[in-house]
């Protein structure tokens, strides 16, 4: 019995230590939620811009709600670079960070808050540094901006400095949009796949950017685009002149449309003998020696540009002198109402490449070479080959002749035609009026005859139609009677039926005269 107190004294400290050991994990677990809860409650919030112009100032603000103690805020860039630190005595206040934007300022920003041994990291804001555009200009491909219609031109709007840029194009002071026909806008480029003559003019572009409703612009200078027209098929002609005892040919090569410069070449039997560049026009001239009456071959004009190589139709280089056979033909021209209105005299020559014509009236030169002295009622055309007398009167009656010589022989002999009498009298002029009235009577007579013939034809067709209708009606009635007779034969009594079998032919001829009783 005395051992028990001793035993209790020995074992009681050991038991207390065991109980403490058991309680330690419980206390640790009990204290863990408290620590986690306090740490999680420290959640700072960062606010600020995500874009800013270079060399401007931006403001970031960091705050940690539900804090009343002293807080240390740190602005961190890209998770590792400390940008600024600010200490707030009261936790409910906001920390403000004012930064000047530089090229290296772009990146990811966060705010770190420290209060009472607790730490919290804010949300992330990515700041983009925008460089305003400056020194904007237009460049082209090809360069210089000169192209032929149908080719491709690409204009580029290039800013010396600038980021996050947008572009606006203008053509002759009018804005080009994505819906403008003939243009494609792709980034900073303006594309004309098949340029036309209408797209020649002045272009300029505007590079711009916007940050927080603040826009910055940079406008280029005007840029001239030249569009050249393709030349048409070259044409060739030749004129001959005399220099002393020698003859020369002035060959003209030209195109009716296109844009200079054009390189023209004269080909003789497909060999180039002359060449010239028309810098400001679409024509070139070549001087070549000529032998009268000799076939010197076929000449062609060749026109070449940067994108074209064309040839004219061939022209035979042969100068034939004017022949001696010259004659005049006279044609009288009438109006629709058979009124004599003009006389046309044509001068025909048997041969001659470059003839010069002259007309004589009653052995007097009718028309001098000076155009100012031309009579108003007389018109020359086709190198004086045709003479028109447009206002006829008895004074125009007389003998007309034409003569021809080589145009390159100023002192050459004339080859004359025989005289042709043109007689215009009052009777002839009055007869035209009578002929006109006769024509009107004939037209009226023919109209009446045509009307009468049409009426007779209509009556004939009406009679034929009536006869056809009557005949068809009569045939329809006959077919109805025959059908009735065939139906009656099936309802005859037996003796009568036998009789019908013996006298078929007789019944067939007399069926229409019999009366048959039908039993129902």
């Amino acid at each position: 019995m005395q051992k028990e107190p001793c035993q209790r004294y020995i074992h009681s400290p050991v038991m207390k230590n065991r109980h403490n050991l058991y309680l330690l994990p419980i206390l640790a677990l009990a204290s863990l939620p408290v620590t986690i809860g306090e740490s999680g409650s420290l959640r700072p919030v960062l606010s600020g811009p995500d874009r800013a112009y270079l060399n401007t100032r931006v403001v970031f603000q960091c705050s940690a709600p539900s804090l009343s103690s002293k807080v240390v805020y740190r602005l961190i860039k890209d998770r590792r670079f400390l940008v600024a630190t600010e200490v707030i005595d009261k936790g409910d206040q906001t920390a403000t960070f004012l930064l000047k934007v530089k090229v290296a300022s772009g990146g990811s920003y966060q705010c770190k808050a420290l209060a009472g041994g607790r730490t919290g990291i804010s949300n992330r804001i990515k700041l983009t540094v925008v460089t305003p555009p400056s020194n904007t200009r237009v460049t082209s491909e090809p360069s210089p901006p000169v192209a032929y219609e149908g080719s491709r031109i690409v204009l580029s709007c290039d800013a010396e400095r600038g980021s996050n840029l947008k572009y606006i194009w203008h053509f002759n002071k009018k804005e080009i949009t994505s819906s403008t026909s003939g243009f494609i806008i792709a980034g900073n480029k303006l594309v004309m796949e098949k340029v036309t003559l209408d797209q020649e003019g002045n272009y300029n572009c505007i590079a711009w950017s916007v940050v927080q409703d603040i826009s910055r612009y940079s406008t280029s200078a005007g840029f001239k685009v030249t569009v050249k027209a393709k030349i048409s098929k070259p044409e060739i002609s030749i004129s001959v002149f005399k220099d002393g005892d020698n003859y020369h040919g002035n060959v003209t090569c030209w195109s009716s449309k296109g844009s200079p410069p054009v390189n023209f070449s004269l080909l003789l039997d497909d060999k180039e003998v002359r060449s010239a560049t028309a810098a400001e026009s679409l024509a070139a001239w070549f001087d070549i020696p000529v032998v009268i009456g000799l076939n010197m071959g076929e000449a062609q004009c060749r026109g070449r540009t940067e994108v074209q190589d064309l040839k004219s139709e061939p022209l035979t280089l042969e100068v034939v002198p004017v022949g001696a056979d010259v004659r005049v033909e006279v044609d009288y021209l009438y109006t629709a109402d058979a009124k004599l209105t003009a006389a046309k005299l044509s001068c025909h020559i048997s041969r001659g490449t470059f003839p010069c014509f002259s007309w004589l009236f009653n052995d007097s030169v009718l028309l001098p070479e000076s155009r100012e002295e031309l009579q108003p009622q007389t018109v020359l055309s086709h190198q004086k080959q045709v003479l028109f007398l447009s206002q006829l009167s008895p004074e125009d009656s007389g003998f007309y002749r034409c003569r021809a010589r080589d145009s390159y022989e100023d002192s050459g002999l004339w080859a004359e035609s025989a005289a042709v009498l043109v007689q215009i009298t009052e009777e002839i002029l009055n007869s035209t009026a009578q002929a006109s009235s006769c024509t009107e009577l004939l037209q009226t007579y023919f109209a009446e005859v045509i009307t009468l013939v049409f009426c007779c034809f209509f009556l004939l067709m009406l009679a034929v139609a009536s006869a056809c209708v009557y005949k068809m009606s009569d045939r329809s009635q006959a077919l109805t009677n025959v059908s009735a007779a065939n139906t009656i034969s099936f309802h005859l009594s037996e003796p009568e039926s036998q009789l019908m079998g013996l006298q078929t032919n007789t019944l067939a001829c007399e069926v229409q005269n019999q009366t048959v009783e039908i039993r129902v």
Side-chain angles (χ1 to χ4, degrees):
M1 297 297 293
Q2 294 178 355
K3 292 180 180 180
E4 290 179 359
C6 182
Q7 291 175 350
R8 286 180 181 176
Y9 176 78
I10 293 173
H11 292 287
S12 60
V14 175
M15 293 301 293
K16 284 183 179 181
N17 291 334
R18 285 184 178 179
H19 287 299
N20 292 335
L21 291 175
Y22 293 149
L23 292 174
L24 285 176
I26 297 173
L27 293 174
L29 290 174
S31 62
L32 183 60
V34 176
T35 305
I36 295 176
E38 292 174 356
S39 176
S41 63
L42 190 59
R43 295 181 179 177
V45 177
L46 180 65
S47 61
D50 58 349
R51 295 161 62 89
Y53 280 118
L54 182 66
N55 297 326
T56 59
R57 295 182 181 275
V58 295
V59 176
F60 286 101
Q61 291 182 330
C62 188
S63 62
S66 304
L67 286 181
S68 59
S69 59
K70 181 178 179 180
V71 184
V72 178
Y73 293 102
R74 294 176 180 175
L75 185 63
I76 300 174
K77 177 176 173 291
D78 297 332
R79 295 185 179 182
R80 51 178 179 160
F81 299 108
L82 179 62
V83 178
T85 301
E86 187 170 349
V87 179
I88 301 299
D89 295 332
K90 293 183 179 181
D92 57 351
Q93 294 181 350
T94 301
T96 301
F97 300 97
L98 181 62
L99 301 180
K100 184 177 180 180
V101 180
K102 301 178 181 179
V103 176
S105 298
S108 178
Y109 288 83
Q110 287 178 293
C111 175
K112 185 176 181 180
L114 297 90
R118 292 171 295 168
T119 304
I121 299 295
S122 71
N123 56 298
R124 186 180 305 168
I125 296 178
K126 184 177 181 181
L127 177 64
T128 301
V129 178
V130 178
T131 304
S134 61
N135 298 330
T136 301
R137 63 190 183 95
V138 177
T139 59
S140 68
E141 181 184 348
S143 181
V146 178
Y148 283 88
E149 56 181 333
S151 59
R152 187 173 188 263
I153 294 182
V154 179
L155 302 182
S156 300
C157 187
D158 299 325
E160 184 177 323
R161 298 181 62 187
S163 61
N164 300 93
L165 298 179
K166 301 177 182 179
Y167 302 92
I168 300 174
W169 287 93
H170 289 89
F171 170 52
N172 290 339
K173 298 182 179 180
K174 292 183 179 180
E175 183 177 351
I176 301 173
T177 63
S178 57
S179 60
T180 305
S181 177
F183 297 96
I184 300 174
I185 299 176
N188 70 324
K189 299 186 182 299
L190 181 66
V191 183
M192 291 164 273
E193 290 291 350
K194 293 183 178 180
V195 68
T196 63
L197 296 176
D198 295 335
Q199 292 174 317
E200 177 179 291
N202 288 308
Y203 291 80
N204 74 289
C205 71
I206 300 174
W208 66 287
S209 60
V210 57
V211 174
Q212 304 294 330
D213 297 330
I214 300 174
S215 300
R216 300 285 181 87
Y217 297 89
S218 177
T219 304
S220 71
F223 192 77
K224 173 68 174 179
V225 173
T226 302
V227 180
K228 292 186 176 182
K230 292 183 178 180
I231 62 171
S232 60
K233 185 177 181 178
E235 299 181 55
I236 184 172
S237 65
I238 183 174
S239 60
V240 178
F241 63 94
K242 187 176 182 181
D243 184 14
D245 295 332
N246 299 321
Y247 297 93
H248 295 267
N250 186 13
V251 180
T252 304
C253 295
W254 82 95
S255 291
S256 58
K257 66 176 183 178
S259 298
V262 182
N263 179 264
F264 286 105
S265 301
L266 176 61
L267 306 179
L268 189 59
D269 293 333
D270 289 332
K271 294 182 179 179
E272 183 175 314
V273 294
R274 298 284 192 279
S275 179
T277 299
E280 298 181 357
S281 65
L282 295 174
W285 296 266
F286 304 102
D287 186 4
I288 59 173
V290 172
V291 179
I292 304 300
L294 177 64
N295 189 337
M296 296 178 293
E298 286 191 342
Q300 279 183 293
C301 283
R302 181 181 184 182
R304 286 175 291 184
T305 65
E306 296 175 6
V307 295
Q308 289 178 284
D309 190 348
L310 303 174
K311 291 182 180 180
S312 69
E313 294 294 330
L315 174 67
T316 301
L317 283 183
E318 183 179 8
V319 180
V320 179
V322 173
D325 184 11
V326 182
R327 56 189 175 86
V328 176
E329 290 183 357
V330 181
D331 294 315
Y332 294 99
L333 307 178
Y334 297 87
T335 61
D337 56 356
K339 182 180 180 181
L340 182 62
T341 182
K344 173 182 146 183
L345 288 76
S346 302
C347 184
H348 298 273
I349 57 176
S350 59
R351 60 185 175 89
T353 307
F354 299 100
C356 175
F357 295 91
S358 176
W359 289 90
L360 292 90
F361 175 57
N362 292 334
D363 293 331
S364 299
V365 177
L366 180 63
L367 295 178
E369 295 297 327
S370 175
R371 286 282 178 159
E372 297 177 355
E373 300 179 19
L374 289 179
Q375 300 178 14
Q377 70 271 20
T378 309
V379 179
L380 293 179
S381 63
H382 301 291
Q383 293 182 331
K384 300 183 183 179
Q385 291 183 9
V386 178
L387 175 67
F388 282 95
L389 302 178
S390 58
Q391 296 178 0
L392 295 179
S393 65
E395 288 77 13
D396 294 323
S397 298
F399 291 92
Y400 288 83
R401 286 186 298 155
C402 79
R403 57 183 184 175
R405 64 171 173 81
D406 295 314
S407 61
Y408 49 83
E409 292 283 2
D410 294 335
S411 59
L413 298 177
W414 292 95
E416 295 188 0
S417 70
V420 174
L421 175 62
V422 175
Q423 189 171 7
I424 305 296
T425 63
E426 294 291 343
E427 290 77 8
I428 295 177
L429 296 176
N430 293 333
S431 65
T432 58
Q434 296 176 2
S436 176
S437 61
C438 292
T439 303
E440 293 177 358
L441 291 174
L442 287 175
Q443 290 177 350
T444 304
Y445 174 74
F446 283 130
E448 292 178 354
V449 170
I450 291 173
T451 303
L452 181 60
V453 171
F454 177 77
C455 291
C456 293
F457 178 75
F458 178 75
L459 292 175
L460 179 62
M461 292 300 295
L462 185 60
V464 172
S466 300
C468 291
V469 171
Y470 176 77
K471 190 172 182 180
M472 291 176 64
S473 176
D474 187 43
R475 181 178 296 179
S476 176
Q477 185 177 1
L479 291 175
T480 303
N481 294 334
V482 173
S483 177
N486 293 335
T487 306
I488 292 169
S489 65
F490 287 102
H491 294 281
L492 294 175
S493 61
E494 184 175 354
E496 292 174 343
S497 179
Q498 293 176 358
L499 182 61
M500 290 293 290
L502 296 174
Q503 299 178 352
T504 305
N505 296 331
T506 304
L507 179 62
C509 297
E510 299 178 357
V511 65
Q512 295 181 359
N513 300 324
Q514 294 182 2
T515 302
V516 181
E517 181 181 356
I518 301 175
R519 295 179 182 181
V520 181

